[in-house]
Amino acid sequence: GHAGRGDDYHYHIAPKCLIEDLGKKWVDVDKKPIGYAMDGFPIHALGWFNKGNAVEAQLDPCRGMKDDSGNYFYNVKTSSSWDVLNCLTGEPQKFARDRWHHRVDRTGKEITGIPMRFAIKDSMRTSHGRDVCHVTTGMLQGEQLLLTSGKTRRVNAEEGALFYCNKACYGLFFEADKSRKIRGRAIYYDYIVSGCPGGFDVASLRTFTPYEGPAQKRKGPPGTGKRPRQ
């Protein structure tokens, strides 16, 4: 799974970590769902822990079937390629209640992510008045870091934190502008703490070396020319 541009975390294959966390009793003994499809039917993982519950041979083309009581459900594939479902049997329902405010940087522009080599170790979320602060710690690996001097440094393995509370309180990586002096892609750590909420102890975080050189244009994805990239 991964977060989309709206910070909406979603899965493309069977949520292996979620299923393992729910455990054998939930999944294969009590036979409870691990989620729901957009048409409202439950999604199960029968056979994940107990192969005696396997229903793969009974599934329809959408990966669904009815239980003994006549209730329809989908079942994820419990082996590679870990499919969730191939199509929707019912009509999509508008039951989602997700609401969020898109992250913006200090200039008020929306922050859009890019792939980077950051192995997540831990994460937490805390509320401070009207702000919700998200902190993710992990290991930055194999990235080229832009320094304030304009030179770059290759980071092979360096632990630190990424955080975001509001547009005046964050520590995030952005992609640096292209330059003849830089071979390949470089990123820089934008560290802004002028508006951190009371109670958020930013000084306790192990952060990366901030970039304090000339302002970067932080161009967005190709074709937009608007959004910065994280």
Side-chain angles (χ1 to χ4, degrees):
H2 70 111
R5 290 187 174 181
D7 295 340
D8 52 328
Y9 191 88
H10 60 275
Y11 300 97
H12 287 265
I13 61 174
K16 300 171 67 176
C17 297
L18 172 63
I19 295 171
E20 295 292 336
D21 283 345
L22 291 173
K24 180 178 180 179
K25 185 177 186 302
W26 180 286
V27 174
D28 265 328
V29 177
D30 295 340
K31 299 182 180 179
K32 295 180 179 180
I34 62 170
Y36 290 86
M38 290 183 65
D39 57 5
F41 290 121
I43 302 172
H44 289 260
L46 298 178
W48 192 276
F49 299 96
N50 181 0
K51 298 305 178 183
N53 286 335
V55 295
E56 189 69 25
Q58 305 173 54
L59 300 177
D60 63 28
C62 287
R63 300 199 55 78
M65 62 175 287
K66 291 183 178 181
D67 60 19
D68 293 338
S69 299
N71 299 310
Y72 189 85
F73 69 94
Y74 298 103
N75 204 78
V76 301
K77 192 170 184 178
T78 58
S79 60
S80 182
S81 59
W82 319 105
D83 297 341
V84 179
L85 49 93
N86 299 327
C87 52
L88 293 175
T89 300
E91 292 294 325
Q93 304 296 309
K94 298 180 179 180
F95 57 79
R97 297 291 188 272
D98 295 340
R99 296 291 184 273
W100 66 83
H101 295 288
H102 206 296
R103 294 174 300 166
V104 295
D105 69 0
R106 52 181 160 166
T107 68
K109 294 181 180 179
E110 292 183 357
I111 295 174
T112 302
I114 60 169
M116 57 179 290
R117 302 177 183 90
F118 186 78
I120 296 175
K121 181 179 179 182
D122 195 14
S123 63
M124 67 176 185
R125 180 180 65 182
T126 55
S127 297
H128 305 275
R130 301 176 65 179
D131 290 320
V132 177
C133 297
H134 301 262
V135 179
T136 301
T137 58
M139 188 74 70
L140 183 66
Q141 302 170 317
E143 292 286 358
Q144 185 175 203
L145 195 64
L146 179 65
L147 307 177
T148 299
S149 64
K151 297 181 179 180
T152 60
R153 174 172 63 88
R154 175 65 62 177
V155 176
N156 293 320
E158 185 174 325
E159 187 171 325
L162 307 179
F163 66 93
Y164 184 90
C165 297
N166 57 56
K167 66 179 182 180
C169 181
Y170 62 84
L172 299 172
F173 282 111
F174 292 87
E175 186 172 5
D177 294 343
K178 300 296 182 182
S179 170
R180 293 180 180 178
K181 298 180 180 180
I182 301 176
R183 298 185 61 181
R185 188 188 78 166
I187 60 175
Y188 67 97
Y189 190 66
D190 204 14
Y191 182 74
I192 309 298
V193 295
S194 59
C196 288
F200 180 65
D201 188 9
V202 65
S204 68
L205 300 178
R206 181 177 180 178
T207 54
F208 296 94
T209 303
Y211 171 78
E212 299 175 335
Q216 299 288 300
K217 294 180 180 179
R218 296 184 297 189
K219 297 178 181 178
T224 65
K226 298 179 180 180
R227 295 182 176 181
R229 307 176 77 180
Q230 175 196 344

